[in-house]
Amino acid sequence: MTMLPSGHRIRLGRIFGIPLEITASWVLLSMLAVWSFWARYATVFHHRTDGIAIVMAVVATVLLTGSILVHELAHGLVGRWRGLRVSAITLYFFGGATTASDPATPVDELLFTASGPVVNLVLVLVFWGITGLADHGHAVAIAQVTGEEAWLNLLLGLFNLVPAAPLDGGHVLESVVWRVTKDRARAVNVAARAGAGVGGALIGVGVLELLFVRGGLFDGLWLGLIGYVLLEGARSAGARAWVETALRGQQARVLLTDHAQPVTKDTSVRWLVYAEFLRHHVDAVPVEDDGRTVGIVLAGDVMGPGATADSERTAGDVMHPLGQLPTEPATADAIEVLRLLADHPVVVLVDETGRLVGAVSQRQVGLVLDRLRALGASPAPFTR
Ligand SMILES: [Zn+2]
């Protein structure tokens, strides 16, 4: 559910208000699915014309995609019901993903993650019901398609319930450990280790099949690939657990590294680029007016693609007014600031009188975590 691949995504529109996206790999998978369904039907119904086999293959692919979409929609709608911010549903090569904010409680996590596979199991009953009716009415082609959809949904539901992160079942396991131990980072770690174990085992079985089973090339490669994706997902879940452990109990101020000198509103953008951003490797420069911080200029606004360092504009023209950026006390929980950074380029830290202490960017957090890792200041990172 959270193994989102990088790469270009195409937005199709909204479904129940949730943005729906597809990746290029999804188009590839759909064509592959039509082809393999067609190859099957052409063999099973050899007495039929190829035209009917193709229609059946397209219908089967649409129903399979629909099943995956309904699975993700269940996550999205239940997530929204439990107060999560659901930002997108993405369909890609291995199925789908629903992007949402972190659940606040173990119960929210359980309901959010279990909803997807449970919907697949409900669809099994629906498709079996239709198959029974079609069989009764001697509609062989319909019974063939819906019968296979029932099996595919059973496979989808059960595979996703395997208790290994990043599969849904891994998050179900996480919610249970979280509930029992009251320790979220530990729960994430347990699910990640299970994911690494299952991923490694799948790769092992895949290799064995490839080497020792006659004709096992395709299945072996396929198993190995699924295992590899699981292993990678588990690794990133484990990294998240490490970060949460490393920063647990720390104040947000530990995330500050570079200290940028404030500039005035009439400072030119050109000067900002060459004297501040390039020279001092800072990501955010405070802008002052009458000795008071009024805004922040971010490196990304004046450098990089789409930004031009034209000399006409000033810091006052390009700054983000202080009130528009997320602001936290410097004594706030560091992990909270990390969560805010998932949605914002920078988080502003202030002292108890509301004066600026600094601005934390994602790159800075990366630097701090690298230092912590290098110094061994925290529990050993999760590696497998
Ligand atoms: Zn799911």
Side-chain angles (χ1 to χ4, degrees):
M1 94 160 206
T2 43
M3 320 182 264
L4 254 187
S6 51
H8 192 65
R9 296 180 204 154
I10 307 145
R11 180 160 292 193
L12 291 185
R14 285 172 179 271
I15 185 161
F16 291 101
I18 303 168
L20 176 66
E21 307 169 328
I22 54 168
T23 61
S25 68
W26 178 81
V27 180
L28 185 76
L29 172 77
S30 303
M31 292 193 304
L32 201 70
V34 171
W35 177 76
S36 59
F37 276 126
W38 169 78
R40 237 174 108 65
Y41 297 147
T43 318
V44 175
F45 297 96
H46 48 86
H47 58 289
R48 284 171 188 261
T49 61
D50 278 354
I52 288 172
I54 285 179
V55 171
M56 286 170 68
V58 170
V59 170
T61 305
V62 168
L63 289 177
L64 178 60
T65 303
S67 302
I68 294 169
L69 183 61
V70 172
H71 169 120
E72 298 307 330
L73 257 184
H75 284 312
L77 295 178
V78 170
R80 196 153 71 186
W81 166 50
R82 302 306 293 183
L84 276 66
R85 269 177 297 108
V86 180
S87 46
I89 286 176
T90 313
L91 300 179
Y92 61 99
F93 196 86
F94 275 97
T98 303
T99 315
S101 57
D102 273 343
T105 68
V107 175
D108 292 340
E109 167 136 51
L110 177 68
L111 293 173
F112 173 58
T113 49
S115 58
V118 166
V119 159
N120 288 121
L121 298 181
V122 171
L123 284 176
V124 172
L125 300 180
V126 172
F127 282 121
W128 265 336
I130 298 174
T131 308
L133 289 176
D135 261 340
H136 197 70
H138 302 289
V140 192
I142 294 176
Q144 172 77 27
V145 171
T146 53
E148 278 183 357
E149 295 296 328
W151 282 109
L152 286 170
N153 270 284
L154 188 64
L155 205 69
L156 270 174
L158 293 183
F159 178 67
N160 273 297
L161 280 174
V162 172
L167 297 175
D168 290 330
H171 290 275
V172 169
L173 172 68
E174 188 184 312
S175 71
V176 173
V177 177
W178 182 10
R179 179 69 202 256
V180 171
T181 63
K182 310 267 186 285
D183 184 344
R184 182 163 200 189
R186 187 161 153 200
V188 174
N189 221 334
V190 167
R193 277 169 195 273
V198 172
L202 282 180
I203 293 176
V205 173
V207 170
L208 288 179
E209 190 159 357
L210 208 123
L211 293 179
F212 299 112
V213 177
R214 188 191 290 265
L217 179 73
F218 186 74
D219 284 350
L221 279 177
W222 194 235
L223 268 182
L225 190 62
I226 294 174
Y228 175 74
V229 171
L230 254 183
L231 202 60
E232 278 301 303
R235 204 193 303 263
S236 75
R240 201 186 95 198
W242 181 85
V243 167
E244 301 225 342
T245 312
L247 293 179
R248 186 189 303 156
Q250 301 279 8
Q251 293 186 354
R253 64 169 82 243
V254 302
L255 301 174
L256 287 171
T257 50
D258 305 302
H259 193 71
Q261 290 302 314
V263 298
T264 56
K265 284 175 86 170
D266 52 12
T267 306
S268 75
V269 163
R270 183 173 288 270
W271 193 90
L272 266 173
V273 169
Y274 292 106
E276 291 285 344
F277 290 126
L278 288 180
R279 199 116 156 250
H280 299 295
H281 303 290
V282 293
D283 298 311
V285 172
V287 182
E288 286 191 346
D289 190 25
D290 263 347
R292 218 164 40 87
T293 309
V294 289
I296 304 270
V297 178
L298 302 175
D301 296 335
V302 292
M303 296 166 73
T308 46
D310 62 285
S311 51
E312 301 299 313
R313 291 183 304 163
T314 63
D317 297 331
V318 297
M319 72 178 191
H320 296 264
L322 213 51
Q324 285 179 10
L325 293 168
T327 303
E328 286 287 320
T331 52
D333 191 344
I335 292 169
E336 265 321 300
V337 170
L338 219 59
R339 297 220 171 97
L340 280 173
L341 276 176
D343 295 326
H344 303 278
V346 72
V347 175
V348 174
L349 300 186
V350 293
D351 67 11
E352 54 278 10
T353 65
R355 276 169 48 95
L356 181 88
V357 175
V360 183
S361 67
Q362 286 178 351
R363 190 188 62 92
Q364 277 179 312
V365 170
L367 289 175
V368 170
L369 292 173
D370 284 348
R371 287 282 289 162
L372 279 174
R373 217 176 250 128
L375 293 170
S378 299
F382 171 78
T383 45
R384 264 295 296 266

